[in-house]
């Protein structure tokens, strides 16, 4: 087999041209595309990481806020319960006082009414006795009875004077 | 100084002699006088009512009944 120098040179030049063309038209765009894609992936990962971080922060804040809100709500509930208990106690005391006052008032009114009834009964009784006695004495008492009454009255006056 | 008092003894019937003595003795002891005038007053119903000036000493039945009525 003959080795021809010009053939070898032609093959070398041919390879160099093909290599150069492939490098220029295929390798560089592909590398550039891969770099851009890698950059996009890196950006997306970074954005995802930031989003995850923000989400964690939001979750943490949410949990913290929830805990604080629960504490505040518990405090408020406790305070409200205490106020309600105090109010209930005050109202109960007030109601008790009012009931006692009403009861005392009613008892006093009843006592007054009772006294008034007794007074009226006494008065009516005295008036009846007075009327009957006046009638009887005006007609039926004789001189001896009057004399005895005078003696008795004189003794009373002697003691009273 | 003993000032003159106006004393009126009211009764329904006239006082007996003994009753007059008793009245006089009582007045002497309390008011230092035995002088009094009698008045028959059926309105007092019974007993005795004595007026010493403007002061009344009431032991009459009317007085007692009035006291009872006003009680």
């Amino acid at each position: 087999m003959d080795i021809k120098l010009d053939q070898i040179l032609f093959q070398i030049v041919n390879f160099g041209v093909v290599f150069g063309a492939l490098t220029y038209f295929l390798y560089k765009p592909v590398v550039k595309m891969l770099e851009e894609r890698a950059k996009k992936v890196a950006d997306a990962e970074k954005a995802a990481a930031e989003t995850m971080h923000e989400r964690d922060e939001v979750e943490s804040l949410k949990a913290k806020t929830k805990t604080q809100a629960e504490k505040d709500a518990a405090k408020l509930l406790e305070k409200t319960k205490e106020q309600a208990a105090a109010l209930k106690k005050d109202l109960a005391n007030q109601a008790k006082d009012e009931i006692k006052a009403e009861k005392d008032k009613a008892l006093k009114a009843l006592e007054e009414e009772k006294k008034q009834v007794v007074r009226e009964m006494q008065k009516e009784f005295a008036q009846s006795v007075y009327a009957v006695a006046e009638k009887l004495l005006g007609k039926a008492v004789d001189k001896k009875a009057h004399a005895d009454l005078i003696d008795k009255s004189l003794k009373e006056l002697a003691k009273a004077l | 100084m003993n000032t003159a008092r106006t004393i009126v003894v009211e009764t329904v019937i006239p006082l007996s002699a003994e009753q007059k003595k008793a009245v006089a003795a009582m007045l002497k002891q309390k008011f230092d006088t035995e002088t009094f005038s009698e008045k028959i007053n059926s309105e007092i119903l019974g007993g005795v009512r004595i007026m010493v000036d403007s002061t009344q000493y009431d032991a009459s039945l009317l007085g007692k009944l009035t006291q009872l009525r006003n009680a």
Side-chain angles (χ1 to χ4, degrees):
Chain A
M1 185 175 170
D2 291 338
I3 297 172
K4 294 179 180 175
L5 189 60
D6 56 341
Q7 285 283 334
I8 290 171
L9 283 173
F10 175 76
Q11 288 297 330
I12 289 169
V13 170
N14 193 25
F15 180 78
V17 169
V18 170
F19 182 79
L22 284 175
T23 301
Y24 183 78
F25 291 108
L26 191 63
Y27 178 74
K28 280 186 178 176
V30 167
V31 168
K32 190 180 176 185
M33 188 188 72
L34 287 174
E35 283 175 354
E36 283 175 356
R37 189 177 171 189
K39 190 172 179 292
K40 279 183 184 176
V41 170
D43 288 346
E45 281 177 351
K46 190 180 175 186
E50 282 176 1
T51 303
M52 289 290 284
H53 182 67
E54 283 174 4
R55 194 196 70 179
D56 290 344
E57 281 183 349
V58 168
E59 285 294 329
S60 173
L61 186 63
K62 189 178 162 185
K64 196 175 173 184
T65 306
K66 189 182 171 188
T67 306
Q68 188 62 39
E70 283 174 353
K71 280 182 184 175
D72 291 346
K75 274 184 187 176
L76 188 63
L77 185 64
E78 189 66 26
K79 195 176 175 183
T80 307
K81 276 182 183 175
E82 285 174 4
Q83 285 176 343
L87 184 63
K88 187 180 170 186
K89 195 176 176 183
D90 286 348
L91 286 174
N93 287 336
Q94 196 178 342
K96 205 182 278 182
D97 291 345
E98 282 176 5
I99 288 168
K100 189 177 181 302
E102 285 294 325
K103 190 180 167 187
D104 291 346
K105 194 178 170 185
L107 282 173
K108 197 176 174 184
L110 191 64
E111 191 64 30
E112 276 301 315
E113 198 173 336
K114 191 178 162 187
K115 282 179 183 174
Q116 183 64 26
V117 168
V118 169
R119 276 197 295 267
E120 282 174 7
M121 284 176 69
Q122 283 177 335
K123 197 172 180 181
E124 282 177 16
F125 177 72
Q127 280 173 341
S128 301
V129 170
Y130 181 81
V132 170
E134 196 173 25
K135 212 165 188 177
L136 289 174
L137 289 168
K139 292 178 180 175
V141 177
D142 58 14
K143 280 190 173 182
K144 185 172 182 319
H146 273 303
D148 290 343
L149 276 172
I150 290 169
D151 289 338
K152 194 177 172 186
S153 297
L154 286 173
K155 284 177 186 170
E156 285 177 17
L157 281 175
K159 284 180 184 174
L161 287 174
Chain B
M1 185 179 170
N2 186 17
T3 54
R5 294 175 185 273
T6 303
I7 300 175
V8 180
V9 178
E10 292 178 74
T11 53
V12 175
I13 58 169
L15 292 170
S16 66
E18 285 184 4
Q19 287 169 339
K20 283 180 185 174
K21 279 183 186 176
V23 171
M26 184 174 65
L27 294 177
K28 176 73 178 170
Q29 187 183 355
K30 303 296 176 186
F31 303 108
D32 198 25
T33 179
E34 295 179 342
T35 308
F36 66 94
S37 58
E38 285 186 67
K39 182 180 174 184
I40 304 301
N41 183 3
S42 60
E43 287 181 2
I44 67 170
L45 303 176
V48 178
R49 185 164 70 185
I50 301 177
M51 293 291 295
V52 180
D53 294 328
S54 59
T55 308
Q56 177 178 279
Y57 300 95
D58 196 351
S60 69
L61 273 182
L62 177 67
K64 287 176 182 175
L65 289 171
T66 304
Q67 277 182 350
L68 181 63
R69 186 173 59 175
N70 295 333

